[in-house]
Amino acid sequence: MLTINPKYIIDDKGEKTAAVLTMKEYDFLIKCLENLEDILEMDSAVETATDFRDYQEIRSELKKEGKL
């Protein structure tokens, strides 16, 4: 886990208006968001799925088709 240490830009009233991150911090956060998006999509797919097939059945079918 990467520690995020943002630097803040403040306005004349002393209120934070923006945050500055290193590229390493930014890339880490983007990767985390993409992973979260994938997890949420998978959760949604599992919730709405109506038919599941056994892994061995799928593997056997792919071998017959020469895809595995």
Side-chain angles (χ1 to χ4, degrees):
M1 183 56 97
L2 179 69
T3 302
I4 307 295
N5 296 305
K7 306 290 186 258
Y8 297 103
I9 298 174
I10 56 172
D11 63 13
D12 335 354
K13 298 176 186 176
E15 296 180 18
K16 296 176 186 174
T17 60
V20 178
L21 305 173
T22 65
M23 285 307 299
K24 186 175 181 179
E25 293 169 333
Y26 173 80
D27 290 339
F28 175 77
L29 289 176
I30 292 299
K31 182 178 177 184
C32 288
L33 288 172
E34 288 171 349
N35 288 341
L36 178 59
E37 184 178 53
D38 291 344
I39 291 167
L40 292 173
E41 286 178 8
M42 180 63 79
D43 285 348
S44 176
V46 168
E47 288 175 7
T48 58
T50 58
D51 186 29
F52 291 94
R53 293 173 50 201
D54 183 60
Y55 168 75
Q56 293 300 331
E57 177 186 336
I58 295 169
R59 184 174 171 80
S60 174
E61 184 178 309
L62 289 172
K63 279 186 176 183
K64 286 179 187 174
E65 295 174 2
K67 296 180 180 177
L68 190 65

